[in-house]
Amino acid sequence: MIPVKTLAGLTGFVTRREGKKFLKLGESVDEKLITPSGLGENTAPSLYIHIPFCRSLCPFCCFNRYLFDEGMARRYFRHLKRELEIYIDKGFKFSDFYFGGGTPTVLMDELTGFIKLLREKFNVKQISLETTPREITPETVAALKNAGINRLSIGVQSFDPVILKSMGRISSTDKETEEILLMAEGQFDTLNVDFVFNFPEQSVKQFEADVAHFKELRIDQATFYPLMASPHKKDAMERKFNRISTSREKEFYDVIIRELYEKGYHASTAWCFSRGERMIDEYIVEDDDYIGIGAGSVSIVGGNFFVNSFALEKYGEYIESGRLPVIGWRRLTEKEHRRYYLLTKLFGMKLDEGDFHRRFQADISRELPLEMLFFRTFGMISGDGQIQVTKKGMYPVSVMMREFFAALNGLREYCIEHQV
Ligand SMILES: C[S@@+](CC[C@H](N)C(=O)[O-])C[C@H]1O[C@@H](n2cnc3c(N)ncnc32)[C@H](O)[C@@H]1O
Ligand code: SF4
């Protein structure tokens, strides 16, 4: 019997190698490739909207974010609207929207104005939005509710003040965080709380306490992110914290399996656990195609991968010259596209063979025979037609996604460092 950790290591290794291929980008983008033509009705893309400003910058964070400055943020929202208009002019239609960051709530008047614009232009089905606990007040909750946010995600990271301090987060007592969460509880279709696990100074016991506390609050959903550090960030973090290692990661993941998955929480993804069916913010799982707008966003349209400029100045220059701010693109090979599909669906815990066939006009067992054989032989997936990730497969799938993000983080880091 091969241990799950070894299987996870293997799948993770292969995924990182695949992910790195995404980084080999062409520069001169043919904007004609970014078109809704050819995307079928059931492959309508979602729209991801990146708001890259935060009131303070957490040292562990791997996203494209800048210290909040009101003037810069207002200018950015103007640019976002113009970028959206370029997509509208191209004929794109969206109904599912995901605001991420950074901290999308840093300028509530701009945010609600943007949501109003979305409602004027599209038939809005659902909106997900993320923010930090320090942004949550009765006024923000009321304004977000009024704006029709369906899913609110709050990045708690941990309830433990010592861990929060070492994460560089504004330290608050667990009681204070609890009060903040209870302010938002029941106000949205879905309330999600984000946690990070396998942080260098975090013990499994401390994490167990976080999971127990989450359960006591009876909140709908929690997303657990394994700490991800790109090579450069890793060096910087290791100078600040202890050594970053994935050797303990499975012990943390086992807590999630034991305390949530085996206790009736539904695995919406390998990282997201919900009571009942809930909205998730993993548009990469739900939709085969998606457009990302804003600095550092990425898009996948019809097998093409596009990357937006990360630098605010450069992003603004593109927009002001009436162009999409795309700085790199890659046409995925058929194999890469199918493997990417497999990864995202397994991350979402299920793959419908019929959907695969409709998407690629081919059978998955013929297209990805080795991959399917490997997952089946080692009991990581089960079922025919409707393929399910098994409990045994969950940790390897989590590692695959972590490795894929780690590869993308390498791209983010390069772009942020070189202000591309
Ligand atoms: C982009 S952040 C936005 C949420 C919000 N700004 C906050 O910090 O509360 C979304 C989530 O990503 C996770 N995250 C950020 N950096 C990470 C890293 N290096 N490794 C793993 N998860 C990370 C955190 O759990 C965070 O809540
Ligand atoms: S974790 Fe959230 S608040 Fe902290 S820097 Fe990243 S996006 Fe900003």
Side-chain angles (χ1 to χ4, degrees):
M1 261 263 284
I2 302 185
V4 172
K5 237 173 151 169
T6 311
L7 292 172
L10 250 162
T11 49
F13 172 77
V14 174
T15 313
R16 181 175 284 225
R17 211 187 48 192
E18 279 298 300
K20 279 191 178 153
K21 292 185 189 159
F22 273 62
L23 314 189
K24 294 191 183 127
L25 301 175
E27 280 178 18
S28 51
V29 183
D30 180 358
E31 273 202 23
K32 285 199 226 64
L33 290 171
I34 311 178
T35 163
S37 65
L39 303 179
E41 266 303 293
N42 54 354
T43 55
S46 340
L47 186 71
Y48 171 77
I49 305 139
H50 190 72
I51 314 291
F53 300 102
C54 299
R55 293 190 203 280
S56 58
L57 300 181
C58 314
F60 70 93
C61 177
C62 56
F63 293 87
N64 191 30
R65 80 283 199 249
Y66 298 91
L67 206 52
F68 174 64
D69 169 280
E70 184 172 339
M72 269 163 68
R74 290 206 185 276
R75 185 162 173 262
Y76 182 82
F77 270 99
R78 274 201 305 280
H79 289 151
L80 263 188
K81 287 181 193 151
R82 287 175 65 177
E83 190 181 3
L84 178 66
E85 267 149 25
I86 300 179
Y87 281 104
I88 294 174
D89 290 345
K90 280 174 165 286
F92 278 93
K93 288 193 172 56
F94 307 102
S95 57
D96 294 351
F97 303 88
Y98 299 84
F99 285 89
T103 312
T105 48
V106 279
L107 271 181
M108 282 301 288
D109 60 331
E110 293 285 359
L111 175 72
T112 50
F114 195 88
I115 295 173
K116 191 163 165 268
L117 176 71
L118 295 179
R119 293 196 184 278
E120 283 161 14
K121 303 281 183 191
F122 307 107
N123 191 0
V124 174
K125 210 167 85 200
Q126 51 183 11
I127 307 177
S128 171
L129 184 138
E130 60 188 17
T131 190
T132 62
R134 67 190 287 192
E135 296 277 311
I136 298 292
T137 61
E139 293 74 33
T140 356
V141 171
L144 293 173
K145 200 177 162 186
N146 217 9
I149 299 301
N150 302 89
R151 176 183 181 272
L152 181 69
S153 173
I154 305 179
V156 165
Q157 321 310 350
S158 171
F159 285 109
D160 190 316
V162 178
I163 296 296
L164 285 177
K165 195 154 180 252
S166 68
M167 281 178 175
R169 306 276 293 190
I170 297 286
S171 199
S172 47
T173 62
D174 51 355
K175 274 274 159 276
E176 283 161 351
T177 312
E178 196 177 307
E179 276 164 25
I180 286 169
L181 295 178
L182 292 179
M183 219 185 286
E185 172 68 340
Q187 304 297 317
F188 304 90
D189 297 344
T190 303
L191 177 67
N192 172 80
V193 180
D194 284 344
F195 293 93
V196 169
F197 66 94
N198 193 32
F199 200 75
E201 312 202 333
Q202 185 181 30
S203 69
V204 175
K205 255 201 152 16
Q206 280 167 320
F207 182 62
E208 271 170 349
D210 277 343
V211 174
H213 201 149
F214 161 72
K215 279 166 70 182
E216 276 163 28
L217 294 176
R218 302 192 59 75
I219 289 172
D220 307 322
Q221 189 179 75
T223 305
F224 298 90
Y225 290 88
L227 182 70
M228 292 174 276
S230 47
H232 185 186
K233 190 121 240 165
K234 192 166 178 236
D235 290 347
M237 281 170 71
E238 286 188 343
R239 279 196 296 276
K240 205 164 162 40
F241 312 114
N242 285 332
R243 214 171 77 77
I244 294 172
S245 147
T246 52
S247 62
R248 295 184 313 152
E249 193 187 74
K250 185 171 177 299
E251 283 177 61
F252 286 89
Y253 197 81
D254 285 346
V255 174
I256 305 173
I257 294 279
R258 193 178 65 236
E259 296 302 325
L260 296 176
Y261 185 70
E262 289 177 355
K263 303 262 164 70
Y265 282 77
H266 166 74
S268 306
T269 70
W271 294 348
C272 176
F273 294 80
S274 319
R275 289 194 302 153
E277 287 294 331
R278 299 281 165 186
M279 182 183 179
I280 55 171
D281 76 343
E282 297 296 348
Y283 47 92
I284 62 167
V285 172
E286 305 261 295
D287 300 290
D288 300 345
D289 296 275
Y290 55 86
I291 296 287
I293 62 171
S297 291
V298 300
S299 308
I300 290 216
V301 190
N304 291 299
F305 173 66
F306 299 98
V307 181
N308 268 8
S309 170
F310 281 68
L312 294 183
E313 273 300 309
K314 208 162 185 176
Y315 170 75
E317 282 165 21
Y318 272 96
I319 299 284
E320 288 188 1
S321 66
R323 288 176 299 157
L324 282 179
V326 175
I327 46 124
W329 75 285
R330 177 176 173 78
R331 167 102 200 131
L332 302 183
T333 64
E334 291 197 341
K335 193 94 186 166
E336 284 165 10
H337 195 191
R338 287 153 170 72
R339 282 187 176 151
Y340 173 76
Y341 185 95
L342 175 68
L343 168 69
T344 55
K345 299 300 170 196
L346 291 185
F347 182 58
M349 299 294 293
K350 54 183 187 289
L351 187 150
D352 183 315
E353 293 192 60
D355 286 346
F356 183 95
H357 197 276
R358 274 184 288 282
R359 174 76 201 189
F360 298 108
Q361 276 80 53
D363 287 340
I364 192 163
S365 49
R366 276 173 182 254
E367 293 295 307
L368 300 172
L370 289 179
E371 290 84 347
M372 296 310 282
L373 182 70
F374 176 77
F375 284 115
R376 272 195 201 286
T377 307
F378 294 107
M380 292 188 275
I381 56 173
S382 67
D384 283 315
Q386 289 283 346
I387 295 170
Q388 292 284 340
V389 174
T390 60
K391 188 163 85 178
K392 184 176 178 190
M394 287 172 73
Y395 181 63
V397 167
S398 165
V399 170
M400 281 165 70
M401 204 39 140
R402 190 239 295 146
E403 286 301 308
F404 183 72
F405 275 135
L408 286 191
N409 283 344
L411 170 72
R412 279 201 188 115
E413 196 159 75
Y414 176 87
C415 293
I416 294 169
E417 199 176 315
H418 295 85
Q419 282 294 287
V420 178

